[in-house]
Amino acid sequence: DAGVIQSPRHEVTEMGQEVTLRCKPISGHDYLFWYRQTMMRGLELLIYFNNNVPIDDSGMPEDRFSAKMPNASFSTLKIQPSEPRDSAVYFCASSLSRYRSGANVLTFGAGSRLTVL
Amino acid sequence: RKEVEQDPGPFNVPEGATVAFNCTYSNSASQSFFWYRQDCRKEPKLLMSVYSSGNEDGRFTAQLNRASQYISLLIRDSKLSDSATYLCVVTPNTNAGKSTFGDGTTLTVKP
């Protein structure tokens, strides 16, 4: 298994530009999560999906952030327009259903390091 | 008060030392507990789950105290390769997706 795959690994952009981060979860995992990590705030849950449906987006900072999961093997996190304070590492993670062995164990992708100038 | 709080660290210990980390959680409905390890500029990776009866994996021992709402991680005979940030993770049974991460404790093992 290739694990959770994220792209791009690094993104440098200018304030005001649109940023799209992509994630392919592990095949068979029912849950997909988007986290953001900064030195100041640690690891924060932005949004998560169960069976492609957004369940909780209360961690999304503001309307500039949006996430979609059009099918079981793909999700995007979009920031439009981007701001310098959005600079962070964005992790995607997936896990199995809570009713299956190994539930609640998160497998993370390598992350997308975003720098907004 | 944060939902999950960890010893701030950093912990700097010599090789071979025993070191312990504590983590407290505020949600009494929490049901699943984990320790993750994160190396510098890498993603968090599962180190071990934490069970009510306590569990051991080689040099690592995890304990859970539900009454006091804390979990611990003990590392014996520490190695240079143990240097990393250790994250405490708590998940409520009522909302399987809502895992909360502590801010992490940084361990540096020195020769």
Side-chain angles (χ1 to χ4, degrees), chain B residues 21-85:
Chain B
F21 306 139
N22 289 324
C23 168
T24 58
Y25 60 94
S26 59
N27 185 350
S28 59
S30 299
Q31 289 293 329
S32 299
F33 308 89
F34 308 91
W35 285 101
Y36 279 69
R37 170 193 170 128
Q38 186 173 24
D39 293 292
C40 186
R41 301 179 78 83
K42 299 283 189 180
E43 72 273 23
K45 293 183 178 179
L46 179 69
L47 177 66
M48 59 196 303
S49 302
V50 186
Y51 303 118
S52 297
S53 54
N55 48 299
E56 188 174 308
D57 182 2
R59 298 181 293 107
F60 298 82
T61 300
Q63 297 273 353
L64 167 63
N65 185 319
R66 286 187 183 275
S68 301
Q69 294 183 200
Y70 81 82
I71 66 176
S72 64
L73 177 68
L74 183 77
I75 305 175
R76 291 182 300 278
D77 188 23
S78 52
K79 313 290 186 190
L80 296 177
S81 57
D82 294 334
S83 298
T85 296

Side-chain angles (χ1 to χ4, degrees), chain A residues 3-90:
Chain A
V4 177
I5 300 173
Q6 291 187 245
S7 66
R9 292 292 308 278
H10 301 274
E11 174 97 6
V12 180
T13 190
E14 294 188 347
M15 183 172 64
Q17 297 298 307
E18 178 178 294
V19 174
T20 299
L21 308 178
R22 298 172 177 80
C23 175
K24 176 178 167 51
I26 292 174
S27 177
H29 279 193
D30 309 277
Y31 285 84
L32 183 139
F33 308 82
W34 282 101
Y35 283 86
R36 176 173 69 175
Q37 188 174 40
T38 61
M39 288 293 292
M40 292 297 293
R41 302 171 69 93
L43 203 58
E44 302 174 280
L45 176 64
L46 300 178
I47 184 172
Y48 77 94
F49 297 82
N50 179 215
N51 292 322
N52 314 336
V53 177
I55 302 300
D56 188 334
D57 66 353
S58 59
M60 296 285 260
E62 48 199 273
D63 292 345
R64 298 184 297 106
F65 286 69
S66 62
K68 295 181 180 180
M69 192 167 185
N71 57 61
S73 60
F74 183 66
S75 177
T76 59
L77 177 68
K78 187 173 293 187
I79 309 172
Q80 166 63 20
S82 58
E83 297 183 2
R85 58 193 169 119
D86 301 331
S87 298
V89 180
Y90 291 81

